[in-house]
Amino acid sequence: MSADLLDATFAALADPTRRAILNRLAAGEATVTELAEPFAMSQPAVSKHLKVLERAGLVTRGRDAQRRPCRLDARPLREAVAWLADYRDYWAESYARLDEVLAELTAGSRDERPDRREPR
């Protein structure tokens, strides 16, 4: 994935309205009118959000006579997840090392503790 497309994908996902539009499109295609229904915004405002999603490659628009349905294209999401997976691996390795250090510290502190029982 090119850096520009990755930037566009994350920029598109940064907005909660655009994420909600993607959630809706995951259920199936929809027109701008249908997408605008749950929001307190105009159709032109929704269209602006759709343009951002289109630039990121997350949405495509078709033509069906007078109808222009929007569809989700999840490929950029898959590529963004793949990019993030490298960091998930980094953090998993970091946590594994931390677990080892904590286990060593815990084992060492048990060995250094004096017997707390009083002699009778």
Side-chain angles (χ1 to χ4, degrees):
M1 173 180 252
S2 75
D4 290 342
L5 189 54
L6 188 63
D7 291 347
T9 299
F10 282 118
L13 295 173
D15 185 271
T17 301
R18 290 192 286 268
R19 291 192 306 271
I21 289 170
L22 290 177
N23 283 339
R24 167 55 187 86
L25 291 175
E29 66 181 36
T31 63
V32 173
T33 303
E34 293 166 338
L35 291 170
E37 285 174 9
F39 302 106
M41 65 176 66
S42 65
Q43 288 181 7
V46 171
S47 289
K48 287 181 181 182
H49 283 292
L50 286 169
K51 285 185 193 307
V52 172
L53 292 167
E54 282 181 288
R55 276 195 302 272
L58 293 164
V59 169
T60 60
R61 291 195 205 198
R63 182 174 291 280
D64 182 18
Q66 296 294 331
R67 196 169 174 267
R68 299 222 35 218
C70 301
R71 292 178 189 88
L72 173 66
D73 183 347
R75 283 179 290 181
L77 292 174
R78 186 178 328 123
E79 294 176 18
V81 167
W83 182 83
L84 289 168
D86 291 338
Y87 293 94
R88 182 179 50 226
D89 294 344
Y90 167 79
W91 285 109
E93 290 172 13
S94 296
Y95 288 133
R97 286 194 305 272
L98 180 59
D99 286 342
E100 290 172 9
V101 169
L102 290 173
E104 289 173 13
L105 290 173
T106 303
S109 67
R110 274 190 237 134
D111 293 343
E112 294 173 4
R113 278 191 211 154
D115 190 10
R116 299 198 182 252
R117 288 185 259 161
E118 298 279 328
R120 290 187 186 218

